[in-house]
Amino acid sequence: MALNEDKKLYHVSSSPHVRASVTTQKIMTDVIIAMLPATAFGVYRFGIGALIVVLATVAAAVISEYLYEYFMKRPITITDGSAVVTGMILALNMPPEIPVWMPMLGAVFAIIVVKQLYGGLGQNFMNPALAARCFLLISFSRAMTDFSASFPEGVDAVSGATPLAVLKAGGEASLSDLFFGNIAGTIGEVSVLMLLIGAAYLLIRGVISIRIPAVYIATVAVFMGLFGGRGFDLYYIACEICAGGLIFGAFFMATDYVTTPITPLGQILFGVFIGILTGVFRVFGASAEGVSYAIIIGNIVAPLIERATVPTPFGKGRYAEITKKLMHENTERGGK
Amino acid sequence: MSLGTFKGGAHPYEGKVLSENCAIEELRFDGEYIFPLSQHIGAPAKACVQVGDTVLAGQVIAEAGGFISANVLSSVSGTVKAIEPRMQVSGFPVMSVVVESDGRFETVEGYGQKRDIDALSKDEIRDIVKAAGIVGIGGAGFPTAVKLMPKNDDAIDYFIANGSECEPYLTSDYRLMLEEGERIVGGVKICLGLFPNAKGIIAIEDNKPEAIKHMQELVKSEPRISVMQLKTKYPEGGERQLINAVTGRYINSSMLPADAGCIVHNVATLLAIYDAVAESKPLIEKTITVTGDAVATPKNVRVRLGSSYKKILDACGGLKTEANKFICGGPMMGQALYELDCPVTKPSSALCAFAHDEVAENPTTPCIRCGRCVAACPEHLVPPMLVKAANADDMEGFEKIGGMECMECGTCSYVCPARRPLTQTFKQARKKVAALRKIKAAEEKQRKEHEEAAKKEAEKKAEEMKKNETGKEVPSWR
């Protein structure tokens, strides 16, 4: 029973002994890549100031994660890319002319209060970037909703309204402007085209599933058709979908792994839930926007949805019924 | 032709290219052969030879120790050297019969004698399979004779030959289908004789087009047998997934395939059945794949049971680079070895030697709840929830959300980007639940026995009292 003569110890571990090539870091890198078109467009539209906001916010997120982990004597995890993603999402949610320190403060709040204090990566109960955005919206509401400087040339900037506010007030928006990003808004949300390019990349790479975004957008569309006051006017509904950061929220924030249900059915219910909330906020709320609040309320409800939607294990419940039916059919066929 | 498949699963690197074109070579060794008494699911066999006895190849050296058990046969001729615990691939010593080969490989009388299959009764066939010590040699090790004895033979409408070989790197079943196809079909025909209403289906993954073509050719004139192509996906060859892919039916952990009218046997097992029934050759040898990026010349080899993996590896040219991990079986469900000098047992299917240990090279990071495991689980479970329950020692919760349906296929661990040891956690938790169930059952039994004893006692007392009363002398003053 002697061990091998050279006393070399081989590795032992429980099966399986192979691993897929995908890692957390690769997933985060894909998300960053997917946000680059929208970021680049934001910089193109709004100038170098937007770039500074993005870089400063990302830096603040990464540095605060590093410092927290350093002082708490925890392993440093900044290389996994999750802090970069948080910083980027937060920055893309900022008006282009915001004083840079505000999103930086937001990033610190996102990383330390929302993420690290709850246990770090995978433990936060709310999307850190969105929670920070809401924190900033409440704290600095004027700066956070001032898009006057972001208006495209030739557009009446005096009214100070985003397309969504215009729509809510009964006005008209230009769908092509919304789609190509010729509107006022935050750095990352303006161009639906650029966001969809990024979303397609995430879908092709298998980073996100289409479930939540599709159900979310469809629910908003139906809700606005029913309660938007203009019936199922396709042009109007398309404008509602393209406006107010819905596309950005649906593909980049409502698909956040940590804070959304993990079960397939739960993801569908989650999409419906935040879709209805978004519609309610848009139609009945004081502000024209509702995506951020809808998603973070959804985040809080996600664990409950998840618990209620555990899938039926293979061979149990309805699967057992299918089996019975198939076997019955077979005996009947045999009997004939 | 649409491909049969199931929902979930993963696509690990197949690695079959290393050995798929290597024809099966026969290897024989001198020296010690080790036959563990427990190389199947069920009760260990009981040794029926003594130290010093001379034995022949094909001789029963340990008899089945119960209904769910199997005979163990010597694969060589020689002398019983010892009956003692020897190291197994599991990492534990197991009571084994050790035979010193005399190098002549003499067989028992009647070995290799042809039998007329049509003249055999169903019971005779089952008895032969049982005596031959055949177990599921695709990996599970469940006694084959037991599987061939469902409650009702007529209720079986699918007999599935599992040629999917979904485990990466393994090519022995593929080679067997190419080289021994006729005998595999012969095995299917023998089994179809037991189940008059069954359709025979040979299920093969579509990454083995040569095998599909060859088997299709062989069953052309067999009205009851057909070949079905399956999508190449792990774990397509898992019994439950295979039945689902072929028939659309679902079985769960508390069912036997026969409950859904199905019986599944690996093609290598069917070959063993054919050999035992038609040619009087009990299970004494086995085809395994020796492969991996560290092996000098990957091969498919036919070896006698009880041969040492170390000798087999040496016969394949040894290692070409330093190996960090040895696996008995495939990389998805195989057993890591820390000691190569272990015997080949009936369910052994391969020896893999890898230069890199992907498990050690990929440290665990926090779960980001990406849901890849949920999408991949072929049993439709939610691994993060199960892990939570298992880590909190909430065995009731673990069972409630389907933990006992897990078949430890490893797909969740494979796809996890955070490299979390999900499957490992479930293995432990499932063992715990099984142990708790046993304890509960024992307590229940004890309680019942106590109750019964108390009841009997009470009855006895009552009877005595009655007797006393009737037998009592009536006082005179009354």
Side-chain angles (χ1 to χ4, degrees):
Chain A
M1 231 194 291
L3 281 169
N4 47 63
E5 295 85 359
D6 48 1
K7 294 282 178 212
K8 178 175 163 39
L9 290 175
Y10 306 131
H11 289 198
V12 283
S13 62
S14 180
S15 64
H17 307 286
V18 284
R19 296 286 186 266
S21 63
V22 62
T23 61
T24 301
Q25 197 180 22
K26 282 183 187 164
I27 292 171
M28 295 298 168
T29 309
D30 273 345
V31 176
I32 293 166
I33 291 170
M35 284 191 284
L36 286 180
T39 311
F41 185 82
V43 174
Y44 160 75
R45 261 294 311 277
F46 304 125
I48 199 78
L51 182 65
I52 293 171
V53 168
V54 173
L55 293 178
T57 313
V58 169
V62 173
I63 292 170
S64 55
E65 176 149 296
Y66 176 82
L67 290 178
Y68 180 90
E69 288 171 339
Y70 178 79
F71 285 112
M72 290 295 149
K73 299 190 171 61
R74 294 176 64 107
I76 307 294
T77 59
I78 53 170
T79 52
D80 67 19
S82 62
V84 178
V85 169
T86 299
M88 233 171 140
I89 292 180
L90 180 62
L92 297 186
N93 269 309
M94 292 295 125
E97 300 280 314
I98 193 149
V100 169
W101 63 270
M102 283 186 195
M104 289 175 74
L105 177 68
V108 174
F109 177 83
I111 294 296
I112 294 188
V113 178
V114 188
K115 185 179 171 188
Q116 291 297 347
L117 286 184
Y118 282 90
L121 182 63
Q123 301 297 322
N124 46 289
F125 69 103
M126 238 185 222
N127 185 325
L130 271 184
R133 185 191 183 208
C134 294
F135 162 73
L136 293 177
L137 264 175
I138 295 164
S139 309
F140 314 107
S141 50
R142 178 160 302 190
M144 285 292 291
T145 52
D146 177 13
F147 299 103
S148 53
S150 70
F151 274 70
E153 274 174 45
V155 172
D156 175 22
V158 184
S159 64
T162 58
L164 204 56
V166 173
L167 282 168
K168 187 168 182 175
E172 289 296 329
S174 156
L175 185 58
S176 71
D177 281 351
L178 278 166
F179 190 77
F180 292 108
N182 199 26
I183 54 160
T186 66
I187 296 169
E189 75 177 6
V190 288
S191 172
V192 170
L193 176 67
M194 293 298 159
L195 289 168
L196 288 180
I197 291 171
Y201 176 77
L202 290 182
L203 287 167
I204 291 166
R205 297 278 293 165
V207 172
I208 61 170
S209 109
I210 191 72
R211 257 180 239 125
I212 292 176
V215 174
Y216 181 25
I217 292 168
T219 308
V220 170
V222 171
F223 191 96
M224 295 315 288
L226 290 175
F227 303 106
R230 303 192 195 183
F232 282 90
D233 173 2
L234 284 185
Y235 191 82
Y236 162 70
I237 289 174
C239 286
E240 282 285 348
I241 290 173
C242 292
L246 179 65
I247 297 294
F248 186 39
F251 286 99
F252 291 90
M253 293 183 267
T255 52
D256 174 40
Y257 291 148
V258 178
T259 54
T260 56
I262 205 166
T263 56
L265 179 61
Q267 291 174 347
I268 289 168
L269 293 182
F270 179 82
V272 171
F273 182 72
I274 60 173
I276 291 172
L277 278 186
T278 303
V280 167
F281 292 154
R282 279 189 180 181
V283 175
F284 306 110
S287 145
E289 313 231 355
V291 170
S292 297
Y293 288 114
I295 295 175
I296 61 168
I297 293 173
N299 291 163
I300 297 169
V301 182
L304 301 177
I305 297 177
E306 193 171 283
R307 272 186 170 208
T309 54
V310 177
T312 315
F314 185 93
K316 297 268 193 184
R318 64 193 165 94
Y319 298 112
E321 296 303 316
I322 294 172
T323 307
K324 257 186 214 157
K325 210 178 131 209
L326 283 173
M327 288 182 63
H328 185 68
E329 276 170 17
N330 217 17
T331 28
E332 282 204 330
R333 225 181 299 126
K336 266 174 203 171
Chain B
M1 188 181 179
S2 75
L3 298 175
T5 191
F6 63 97
K7 196 176 140 229
H11 298 276
Y13 171 64
E14 288 172 24
K16 297 194 189 266
V17 65
L18 285 177
S19 58
E20 65 187 351
N21 293 322
C22 306
I24 298 169
E25 281 176 41
E26 174 138 17
L27 293 180
R28 286 183 180 186
F29 308 102
D30 290 334
E32 256 181 16
Y33 282 73
I34 298 166
F35 305 95
L37 298 181
S38 189
Q39 38 183 306
H40 47 259
I41 288 177
K46 291 190 185 99
C48 55
V49 289
Q50 308 275 317
V51 175
D53 285 2
T54 50
V55 294
L56 295 170
Q59 181 180 335
V60 175
I61 52 176
E63 284 164 349
F67 177 65
I68 298 185
S69 183
N71 287 348
V72 175
L73 287 75
S74 177
S75 64
V76 294
S77 57
T79 323
V80 178
K81 196 167 122 184
I83 299 175
E84 61 185 22
R86 286 296 183 103
M87 189 55 90
Q88 288 304 295
V89 292
S90 63
F92 296 100
V94 166
M95 190 55 84
S96 309
V97 176
V98 184
V99 175
E100 183 73 33
S101 167
D102 58 14
R104 293 202 290 270
F105 297 93
E106 280 175 59
T107 53
V108 289
E109 210 180 317
Y111 180 91
Q113 219 167 49
K114 296 267 190 299
R115 283 203 192 95
D116 179 9
I117 301 165
D118 299 329
L120 294 169
S121 73
K122 284 186 184 184
D123 285 343
E124 278 171 324
I125 290 174
R126 287 176 172 131
D127 286 343
I128 293 168
V129 171
K130 197 171 176 190
I134 300 174
V135 302
I137 51 183
F142 192 82
T144 300
V146 180
K147 253 179 153 182
L148 289 177
M149 278 184 263
K151 274 179 230 138
N152 180 2
D153 289 350
D154 297 340
I156 302 301
D157 44 17
Y158 282 100
F159 185 89
I160 304 169
N162 186 357
S164 51
E165 199 162 52
C166 63
E167 182 73 65
Y169 287 90
L170 270 50
T171 55
S172 57
D173 288 350
Y174 172 69
R175 290 311 307 180
L176 286 177
M177 284 190 277
L178 286 186
E179 296 177 31
E180 311 276 358
E182 293 87 350
R183 288 155 72 205
I184 291 170
V185 172
V188 176
K189 278 163 75 181
I190 290 170
C191 294
L192 285 178
L194 301 175
F195 309 113
N197 298 325
K199 258 189 284 196
I201 289 174
I202 302 171
I204 308 171
E205 274 189 350
D206 65 348
N207 62 351
K208 295 178 261 295
E210 294 292 313
I212 292 170
K213 223 170 85 191
H214 183 63
M215 295 309 274
Q216 271 171 342
E217 202 61 39
L218 289 174
V219 299
K220 247 186 188 163
S221 54
E222 303 292 342
R224 286 181 67 191
I225 307 176
S226 59
V227 174
M228 182 168 180
Q229 288 192 48
L230 302 175
K231 196 174 160 189
T232 301
K233 186 165 73 170
Y234 181 86
E236 193 76 79
E239 198 169 53
R240 298 180 205 167
Q241 280 61 43
L242 183 68
I243 289 173
N244 182 234
V246 173
T247 70
R249 298 172 190 178
Y250 295 84
I251 62 165
N252 59 45
S253 64
S254 55
M255 287 165 81
L256 291 171
D259 296 336
C262 301
I263 286 187
V264 182
H265 280 300
N266 182 277
V267 287
T269 311
L270 288 161
L271 178 63
I273 292 174
Y274 178 84
D275 283 351
V277 176
E279 297 184 354
S280 310
K281 288 180 184 162
L283 182 60
I284 60 169
E285 52 183 19
K286 152 121 239 218
T287 303
I288 68 169
T289 308
V290 182
T291 185
D293 56 3
V295 176
T297 46
K299 280 180 182 177
N300 298 293
V301 294
R302 179 174 298 126
V303 294
R304 298 283 167 140
L305 292 175
S307 310
S308 156
Y309 280 110
K310 198 162 186 264
K311 290 181 189 165
I312 295 171
L313 182 63
D314 288 342
C316 293
L319 299 171
K320 68 176 174 204
T321 53
E322 198 181 355
N324 269 307
K325 196 162 205 180
F326 290 95
I327 301 161
C328 171
M332 290 300 282
M333 283 190 89
Q335 178 91 36
L337 298 174
Y338 71 85
E339 161 67 64
L340 266 189
D341 204 4
C342 298
V344 171
T345 56
K346 293 171 188 174
S348 310
S349 50
L351 175 67
C352 297
F354 293 113
H356 294 276
D357 176 18
E358 291 185 22
V359 178
E361 286 169 12
N362 286 292
T364 300
T365 57
C367 170
I368 53 170
R369 294 170 36 86
C370 68
R372 279 170 176 74
C373 52
V374 182
C377 178
E379 290 287 319
H380 309 176
L381 303 174
V382 187
M385 284 184 164
L386 290 170
V387 165
K388 228 178 182 175
N391 288 347
D393 205 18
D394 174 15
M395 290 302 136
E396 239 170 74
F398 181 81
E399 266 189 273
K400 204 174 149 196
I401 50 175
M404 294 312 273
E405 296 304 309
C406 170
M407 45 180 200
E408 305 172 6
C409 66
T411 312
C412 51
S413 289
Y414 171 76
V415 298
C416 181
R419 281 79 170 85
R420 302 199 66 79
L422 302 168
T423 313
Q424 189 175 357
T425 307
F426 304 150
K427 283 182 192 177
Q428 286 169 345
R430 282 163 48 78
K431 280 207 179 98
K432 196 162 183 183
V433 172
L436 287 174
R437 278 182 184 173
K438 256 187 195 167
I439 292 172
K440 217 175 162 187
E443 280 174 352
E444 186 72 7
K445 202 178 156 198
Q446 212 172 17
R447 197 178 57 81
K448 264 193 184 154
E449 277 173 2
H450 266 286
E451 258 174 28
E452 229 144 78
K455 214 171 143 193
K456 261 187 193 159
E457 190 76 2
E459 269 171 22
K460 217 168 142 191
K461 255 190 187 159
E463 218 155 87
E464 249 165 43
M465 287 224 328
K466 235 181 178 175
K467 228 189 213 163
N468 283 352
E469 223 149 84
T470 47
K472 227 193 269 174
E473 273 178 37
V474 184
S476 54
W477 50 266
R478 230 184 176 185

